[in-house]
Amino acid sequence: MSKETHAKENPHVVIIGAGFAGLQAARDLDNAPVQVTLIDKQNYHLFQPLLYQVATAGLSPEDIAHPVRAILRGQDNLNFRNTEVIDVKLTEQRLVTKTGELHYDYLIIAAGGTHNFFGLRSVAAHSFGLKTIEEAVSIRNHVLERFELANQENDADKRRAMLTFVVVGGGPTGVESAGALSELFYKVLTKDYPRLNFKEVRILLLEAGQNLLPAVPEDLQEFTTETLWKKHVEVRFGAMVTDFDGERVTLKGGEIIPAQTLIWAAGVRAAGLIDMLGVNQGSLARAIVTPTLQLSEHPEVFVIGDAAHCEENGKPLPMNALVALQQGSAAASNIWRLLQDDKCEPFIFHDLGSMATIGRNSAVAKIGSLKIKGLIAWLLWTGVHIVRLAGFRNRLFVFWKWFWDYIFYERAVRLITKE
């Protein structure tokens, strides 16, 4: 029997999304008696946790992205399609993509998440998100352009607005972005712009709640806040943004902050594809799934990662890479069980901890009951992120660039490009 004939007789598993969840599911279906089709509108897997490093000139886009075909090379039962899904016909078990239609026996939806601006249209129109390579490069270009313009601006008020950078959101992305901007400005750009008065530079981290990094204990939250202040980051709590027109940030209560840069890290929701399914949605527009990660009315469909509303102890699981990876494996395992006429098993999340870097020699981490901060946490964070990168080349290049930056205080990618 030829390989093509065998593939046609096998059940067809389609996976939407080559992020952490989808890629893990595809890997775990290697050697399964199925034909797997992985679909993504990008031809690469993006390591999103380091996207802020591209935005702050620490890494190049190719350092944190790796071709999907290279990652899954050698997996004989898999076909990758670089296209975008525009509709899902659940009752017909059919997908509509920009390059044609696909029928499936099992479907894994790992479409990921997107920005949540909470209805603030002006903020959505003028701020910078941080979910894609294009957005990260846009931030890098914009930030460097502000310094170039400020270096030529004689009006003090205009110059200060150019040099005011607002980051909204006190989660890991906001904290890490603010810390990285501080190091870029005060360790690197001070050498590039000796005529600029860096006392005019402001970095504000605005959090609508009363603490940073809600996933870590209170003492680590306080350490994070104190460290950011030492890095010249103004941390403000109870600061809710209501408007941004590209020149002024307006807060609830009426305060106006002249600024030309707002990086939005305050909200995320499920990708728009989930809205098309016509299924029950929970918090942040995520599809409500059964404990086995299936849609209740369509058990042949699994929803995982940021797109899935899956509860544990009455609370939805967080939208992060650790949950996505484990759900990817769980969905693949349950498809294996269905192929053997066995029952699917409920998903149980194993919390391995959380961590965030604040900058050079400083990070916080919670692993089980263990709380770590400072240099040791930073070394742990560095090691974990290098190991998790896809591709040996990426790991080598990221390690080398971080080492170079650590020794010489030099960011290698201070380029204003047309990307």
Side-chain angles (χ1 to χ4, degrees), residues 213-238:
L213 303 177
V216 303
E218 186 175 346
D219 55 339
L220 295 184
Q221 295 173 356
E222 293 175 355
F223 174 80
T224 301
T225 303
E226 292 170 1
T227 303
L228 285 171
W229 275 102
K230 292 176 182 177
K231 291 180 176 290
H232 310 288
V233 177
E234 302 174 38
V235 182
R236 297 180 59 175
F237 298 110

Side-chain angles (χ1 to χ4, degrees), residues 128 142-143 146 161-162 164-166 244 246 249 259-263:
F128 292 92
H142 176 83
V143 167
R146 295 315 96 187
M162 291 174 182
T164 298
F165 302 87
V166 178
F244 176 59
V249 180
Q260 295 184 6
T261 308
L262 189 151
I263 299 172

Side-chain angles (χ1 to χ4, degrees), residues 57-313:
L59 297 174
S60 301
E62 62 269 21
D63 295 332
I64 63 168
H66 203 67
V68 173
R69 294 184 183 278
I71 295 172
L72 299 174
R73 187 180 294 154
Q75 186 166 331
D76 293 334
N77 68 342
L78 183 135
N79 178 42
F80 174 66
R81 295 185 67 160
N82 180 204
T83 187
E84 184 175 358
V85 176
I86 56 178
D87 198 7
V88 181
K89 308 288 187 181
L90 292 176
T91 56
E92 303 171 28
Q93 295 186 209
R94 179 168 59 92
L95 299 180
V96 181
T97 77
K98 286 187 173 180
T99 56
E101 296 189 357
L102 281 173
H103 290 265
Y104 61 83
D105 296 294
Y106 299 101
L107 175 65
I108 298 177
I109 301 176
T114 188
H115 307 294
N116 187 357
F117 291 99
F118 305 104
L120 300 174
R121 294 184 179 180
S122 61
V123 175
H126 297 101
S127 68
F128 292 92
L130 195 50
K131 287 289 182 185
T132 67
I133 284 177
E134 291 78 11
E135 289 174 331
V137 173
S138 293
I139 292 172
R140 184 189 74 197
N141 288 341
H142 176 83
V143 167
L144 294 175
E145 284 171 351
R146 295 315 96 187
F147 277 87
E148 290 293 342
L149 292 171
N151 198 47
Q152 304 169 58
E153 180 58 61
N154 295 320
D155 186 294
D157 290 336
K158 291 181 180 179
R159 191 169 59 246
R160 281 190 289 268
M162 291 174 182
L163 296 175
T164 298
F165 302 87
V166 178
V167 181
V168 183
T173 300
V175 168
E176 292 176 348
S177 297
L181 285 174
S182 172
E183 295 200 343
L184 172 64
F185 297 167
Y186 297 106
K187 302 294 185 184
V188 181
L189 297 189
T190 50
K191 296 180 290 185
D192 288 351
Y193 301 93
R195 295 181 181 179
L196 270 182
N197 179 9
F198 273 74
K199 291 182 179 180
E200 294 182 334
V201 176
R202 292 181 73 193
I203 306 170
L204 293 92
L205 178 59
L206 307 182
E207 167 55 42
Q210 297 302 318
N211 51 62
L212 303 177
L213 303 177
V216 303
E218 186 175 346
D219 55 339
L220 295 184
Q221 295 173 356
E222 293 175 355
F223 174 80
T224 301
T225 303
E226 292 170 1
T227 303
L228 285 171
W229 275 102
K230 292 176 182 177
K231 291 180 176 290
H232 310 288
V233 177
E234 302 174 38
V235 182
R236 297 180 59 175
F237 298 110
M240 184 178 294
V241 173
T242 59
D243 189 72
F244 176 59
D245 63 1
E247 297 288 341
R248 292 168 295 276
V249 180
T250 304
L251 304 184
K252 185 178 181 180
E255 181 184 352
I256 294 177
I257 303 171
Q260 295 184 6
T261 308
L262 189 151
I263 299 172
W264 186 260
V268 65
R269 52 153 287 163
L273 181 66
I274 303 302
D275 299 330
M276 303 179 189
L277 300 179
V279 300
N280 292 329
Q281 291 172 264
S283 64
L284 307 177
R286 294 182 285 181
I288 296 176
V289 296
T290 67
T292 55
L293 303 177
Q294 296 163 287
L295 294 179
S296 58
E297 296 182 0
H298 298 277
E300 73 282 356
V301 179
F302 295 80
V303 185
I304 58 177
D306 290 353
H309 180 99
C310 182
E311 294 189 355
E312 187 176 89
N313 300 322

